[in-house]
Amino acid sequence: MIKDLPDNEVTDIAVAVALEGESSESKTWYVYLINLKQQPIENVLITSKGYGEKDGEQVKTSVLRHMFPIVGATAFKVIEPIDEQTFGLNNEYWVSYYIGNQIFDKKFIFLPESIVDSNFIRLPLVNKPGVMIR
């Protein structure tokens, strides 16, 4: 099925993990889809999952699916909250969307321990600290 998809290059689309807030006990994190394009994207489907090794055992999270009918030009959407305990895993977001009748898709993977303060930037459009993959 993947072999049937056209080889359209994904540009100006990003997935980001942002720090929303923190208290003395915990931090609150959200994952965002950021459309940096000057045009909207439509029928956006995102699957998310975590996988990897933790304490010497293979771990997999549930696969979650998200759908947005439209993400406006230079706009963003919250995909989901993310638990800090999964930062030691690969966190994968597979994004598919349409522009007109052309389909685009790309896999974004946050590697273990990549969501750390030293990788933080000010996220475009979202205007919060976080880690972004384009």
Side-chain angles (χ1 to χ4, degrees):
M1 191 162 157
I2 291 175
K3 65 179 173 40
D4 297 328
L5 292 175
D7 194 23
N8 294 333
E9 184 179 351
V10 172
T11 58
D12 298 328
I13 298 293
V15 174
V17 176
L19 177 60
E20 294 291 317
E22 57 186 306
S23 67
S24 59
E25 293 136 16
S26 66
K27 294 181 179 180
T28 305
W29 301 86
Y30 282 96
V31 182
Y32 288 88
L33 174 68
I34 304 173
N35 179 9
L36 299 165
K37 294 180 175 298
Q38 297 300 316
Q39 61 190 15
I41 58 177
E42 299 176 331
N43 298 320
V44 181
L45 178 63
I46 303 168
T47 60
S48 64
K49 66 181 179 180
Y51 56 90
E53 190 174 306
K54 190 166 186 164
D55 299 328
E57 292 186 28
Q58 289 298 314
V59 176
K60 289 183 184 180
T61 67
S62 299
V63 175
L64 301 176
R65 292 171 183 81
H66 310 275
M67 201 282 182
F68 303 108
I70 192 164
V71 178
T74 61
F76 62 89
K77 295 277 187 183
V78 174
I79 298 173
E80 63 187 14
I82 187 170
D83 190 323
E84 232 176 339
Q85 293 181 12
T86 66
F87 290 176
L89 301 174
N90 293 296
N91 288 285
E92 176 183 298
Y93 296 86
W94 193 318
V95 179
S96 297
Y97 61 91
Y98 282 86
I99 296 177
N101 64 356
Q102 294 288 310
I103 189 169
F104 297 80
D105 74 323
K106 183 175 179 179
K107 193 183 300 185
F108 298 84
I109 301 174
F110 292 91
L111 297 174
E113 308 305 332
S114 63
I115 305 169
V116 293
D117 291 351
S118 61
N119 291 336
F120 277 18
I121 61 167
R122 177 64 56 180
L123 299 173
L125 304 177
V126 178
N127 199 28
K128 295 180 180 177
V131 177
M132 182 172 81
I133 299 175
R134 283 180 87 168

